[in-house]
Amino acid sequence: MPTLRACCGTALAATLTTLVAVGIAPAAPSAAAVPSAAVQGRSGPGGPANTTPPVKIDGADPDLKLRSGAKLAAGRVLDIKSVVETEGGDERREDTNVDVTFALQAEVLFDKDSAQLNREAGKRISAIAAEAKKQKAGTLRVFGFTDDLGSAGHGLTLSKERANAVQRQLAEKIGSSSVAYQIRGYGEQFPIADNSTEEGRRKNRRVEVSFPRRG
């Protein structure tokens, strides 16, 4: 895999830390203020991260020194995310407290409008398979996405065929019949960049592979 660099500002530590948010109880947010599952979770379809606090917080503990009449807000685990990507941006890895997600731009895996893996694809998929084995992943999600050029039907078909191609290579590299795969083609749904520019469309043409973190 190409050398990775930290993106999105300050580099994050390799070890993710689980934090418990404690504060004064705020007013209940309106329905419009609550982000959707796709926004709360990873950059694509799927539910939000598990935010159940790992410890019970005693609101009556005198060491908290709350002002008179104040109450604690409900505790929750912050979904800490570490993001690294290759210099050219053609590969990105996201780590949260629950998932590992690899996103590979289609151009590094396939020729234009093709679902046939190229020579470059093998070593990149091998690196993902090695991490999945390291994390002892029992389920891998393989999702394909396209930009919004062409018909929506063609995008759905192409994204599913590309996800299938990556899954077959992953299964060969992992070599375990006990691993389950969820394979989806979403076409132009769930863009991560602006489809009005070629740079944005290139980012949206991608295959994402994700699986639960362990340790």
Side-chain angles (χ1 to χ4, degrees), residues 17-182:
T17 305
T18 300
L19 302 180
V20 178
V22 180
I24 306 304
S30 65
V34 179
S36 67
V39 173
Q40 291 181 23
R42 53 192 176 275
S43 59
N50 180 9
T51 58
T52 304
V55 295
K56 184 176 180 180
I57 303 170
D58 182 6
D61 191 327
D63 290 333
L64 293 175
K65 299 184 177 7
L66 298 177
R67 67 175 182 269
S68 178
K71 295 182 180 179
L72 286 177
R76 67 185 183 91
V77 174
L78 299 180
D79 187 17
I80 304 302
K81 179 182 290 188
S82 169
V83 182
V84 292
E85 67 178 15
T86 55
E87 187 69 30
D90 54 8
E91 183 173 344
R92 185 179 73 256
R93 172 175 172 160
E94 296 181 4
D95 288 81
T96 72
N97 53 299
V98 292
D99 281 327
V100 179
T101 301
F102 289 89
L104 301 175
Q105 289 182 8
E107 279 78 355
V108 303
L109 299 174
F110 309 97
D111 291 336
K112 184 177 180 180
D113 207 31
S114 170
Q116 183 71 36
L117 290 169
N118 59 33
R119 294 181 180 180
E120 179 71 12
K123 64 181 181 181
R124 293 176 183 268
I125 295 174
S126 292
I128 297 175
E131 183 64 21
K133 288 194 287 187
K134 177 181 176 182
Q135 297 287 346
K136 296 180 175 59
T139 301
L140 276 74
R141 299 173 290 266
V142 187
F143 297 157
F145 305 86
T146 64
D147 57 29
D148 65 351
L149 298 181
S151 71
H154 177 70
L156 284 171
T157 299
L158 180 61
S159 62
K160 178 63 181 300
E161 290 176 348
R162 286 176 166 176
N164 282 333
V166 171
Q167 183 273 330
R168 287 193 294 267
Q169 185 90 176
L170 279 169
E172 180 181 327
K173 301 294 184 184
I174 292 174
S176 173
S177 59
S178 64
V179 176
Y181 295 88
Q182 299 174 7

